[in-house]
């Protein structure tokens, strides 16, 4: 299990891929350990090179103990393989340099080959991800910026430093980017890009239907399934826009656009605005079907309600059905069905009737009353049906793994 706050931490589709992690001399280099642990937790093989500067802060033993294999040091260290500087280029699917010091940026930009990491980078022709960390004045310097532009123009992915206080006591842009950003960027480099060029809309989470100044009608959805779908589609190359209901706390990839709404009507309005520009829609939100007729903006006082009270509800728009029924021929739609049933045959029948009622291409039905597939769980189990009459039972697995399969279903529907 990853220590990072991500919706794809348990996704098994990256197992047995390989990353090479270069760690340079920067106070932030202790944080590279968390990246190593998160990738190792997904079954990714990780080799590491610690530059001379990095070894002033952290030891090879620390990285080796947490599963890095091998851990490279100096080019001519005793016992080093003769062609160790070529090995990541032969075996790894992506190279990540995090943290990258100002000097490392210079060396990478110049094509230096006089230390192990620089030589390995020069002999690496796969995707390269660079996450710089340094003092804000060093980062802002024209020389550093020129090196960054050069590296970017050569096709390297730069994960820019974040802004805030740095270890040296200065403030500004220079601290290592949030680990989730580096983590996701590296995963995208490892993922098949079979959704590249697709624009995907995802609705996720609950909605809140306000009743009075302080009370609302809602449900326990956490948005975890929708986050997993959004992240999987993004990892597979799609441009993703997520419309998130309130209270969503999971980290999303930085390049994934998020729009935050509260009520079903707000979600409907946002989805309608975006839908014409989309190739795919994944409607996972647990939208409240009804909203209470408003009681106003003031708190209703209990002293005024001692005889009990009645709340009138009015129907909300059905976002999925409305958008699916007016889609163009190129647009594909995935819907969900939250049901309370005890057997798979009934779930399958409900999935088929909801697929037709909602005009979806693919529909995934889950029994929210069953342990391991309800609101807020880390796992799900679904029955998938499509408009061609195909169906499949996806047994209990992480929501990330279920999301991966649902993306594949939608792609091929
Ligand atoms: N949905 C939607 N807008 C609504 C209600 C539901 O977009 N107002 C979408 C959900 O995101 C989901 C699908 O419709 O993809 C099915 O939702 P579900 O709650 O299972 O079914 P309902 O349509 O609400 O029908 P019922 O409550 O009768 O099962």
């Amino acid at each position: 299990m990853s220590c990072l706050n991500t919706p794809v931490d348990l996704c098994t589709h990256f197992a047995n891929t390989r990353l090479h992690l270069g760690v340079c001399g920067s106070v932030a280099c202790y944080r590279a350990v968390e990246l190593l642990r998160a990738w190792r937790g997904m079954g990714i093989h990780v080799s590491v090179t610690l530059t001379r500067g990095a070894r002033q802060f952290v030891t090879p033993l620390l990285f080796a103990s947490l599963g890095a294999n091998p851990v490279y040091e100096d080019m001519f260290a005793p016992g080093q393989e003769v062609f160790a500087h070529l090995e990541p280029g032969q075996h790894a699917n992506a190279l990540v340099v995090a943290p990258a010091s100002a000097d490392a940026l210079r060396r990478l930009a110049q094509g230096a080959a006089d230390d192990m990491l620089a030589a390995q980078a020069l002999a690496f022709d796969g995707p390269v991800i660079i996450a710089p960390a340094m003092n804000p004045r060093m980062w802002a310097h024209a020389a550093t910026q020129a090196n960054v532009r050069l590296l970017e123009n050569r096709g390297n992915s730069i994960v820019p430093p974040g802004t805030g206080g740095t270890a040296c006591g200065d403030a500004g842009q220079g601290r290592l980017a949030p680990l989730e950003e580096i983590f996701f960027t590296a995963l995208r480099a490892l993922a098949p890009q079979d959704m590249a060029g697709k624009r995907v809309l995802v609705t996720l989470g609950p909605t809140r239907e306000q009743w009075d100044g302080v009370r609302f009608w809602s449900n326990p959805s956490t948005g975890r399934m929708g986050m997993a779908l959004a992240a999987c589609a993004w990892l597979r190359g799609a441009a993703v826009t997520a419309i998130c209901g309130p209270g969503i706390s999971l980290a999303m990839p930085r390049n994934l656009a998020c729009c935050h709404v509260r009520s079903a009507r707000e979600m409907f309005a946002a989805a309608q605005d975006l839908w014409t520009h989309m190739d795919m829609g994944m409607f996972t939100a647990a939208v409240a079907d009804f909203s209470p007729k408003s009681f106003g903006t003031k708190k209703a006082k209990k002293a005024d309600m001692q005889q009990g009270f009645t709340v009138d509800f009015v129907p909300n728009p059905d976002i999925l059905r409305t958008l699916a029924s007016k889609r163009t021929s190129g647009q594909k739609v995935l819907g969900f069905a939250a049901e309370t049933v005890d057997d798979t045959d009934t779930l399958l029948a409900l999935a088929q009737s909801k697929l037709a009622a909602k005009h979806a291409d693919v529909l995934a039905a889950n029994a929210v009353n069953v342990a391991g597939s309800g609101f807020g769980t880390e796992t799900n189990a679904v029955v998938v049906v499509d408009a061609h009459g195909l169906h499949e039972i996806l047994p209990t697995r992480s929501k990330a793994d279920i999301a991966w399969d649902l993306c594949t279903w939608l792609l091929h529907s």
Side-chain angles (χ1 to χ4, degrees), residues 203 283-289 316-321 335-339 354 358:
T203 67
F283 296 87
T284 72
V287 185
D289 292 319
N316 282 330
D318 188 319
I319 304 169
L320 163 57
R321 200 179 49 190
F336 271 75
E339 308 292 351
K354 218 168 246 184
K358 302 269 184 174

Side-chain angles (χ1 to χ4, degrees), residues 1-4 19-21 23 29-48 50 59-71 96 98 179 182-183:
M1 169 94 156
S2 148
C3 43
L4 304 186
L19 277 177
H20 185 68
L21 173 63
V23 182
C29 65
Y30 75 97
R31 307 201 62 208
V33 170
E34 283 192 54
L35 288 170
L36 166 65
R37 290 185 63 199
W39 288 322
R40 289 293 301 129
M42 297 177 74
I44 298 171
H45 296 284
V46 186
S47 49
V48 168
L50 299 181
T59 65
L61 182 62
L62 174 63
F63 284 80
S65 307
L66 293 169
N69 183 25
V71 180
V96 182
L179 295 185
I182 305 166
F183 172 83

Side-chain angles (χ1 to χ4, degrees), residues 214-301:
V214 295
R215 301 179 181 95
F216 55 81
W217 171 263
S218 191
N219 61 63
S221 169
T222 57
R224 189 175 273 273
M225 189 68 236
M227 295 287 253
L229 274 161
C232 279
W234 181 82
L235 289 173
R236 289 165 72 163
V240 179
T241 304
I243 305 178
C244 303
I248 305 298
S249 61
L250 283 163
M252 293 284 244
R254 181 174 50 99
N255 296 328
L256 195 148
C258 281
C259 142
H260 295 273
V261 297
R262 278 172 61 88
S263 66
R265 282 174 196 282
E266 282 176 25
M267 187 174 277
F268 183 52
Q272 267 190 316
D273 278 355
L274 293 162
W275 182 229
T276 44
H277 310 291
M278 297 290 157
D279 301 300
M280 291 178 166
M282 300 177 176
F283 296 87
T284 72
V287 185
D289 292 319
F290 301 92
S291 49
K293 271 193 180 165
S294 177
F295 192 86
T297 53
K298 294 267 185 323
K299 184 183 177 197
K301 301 301 283 180

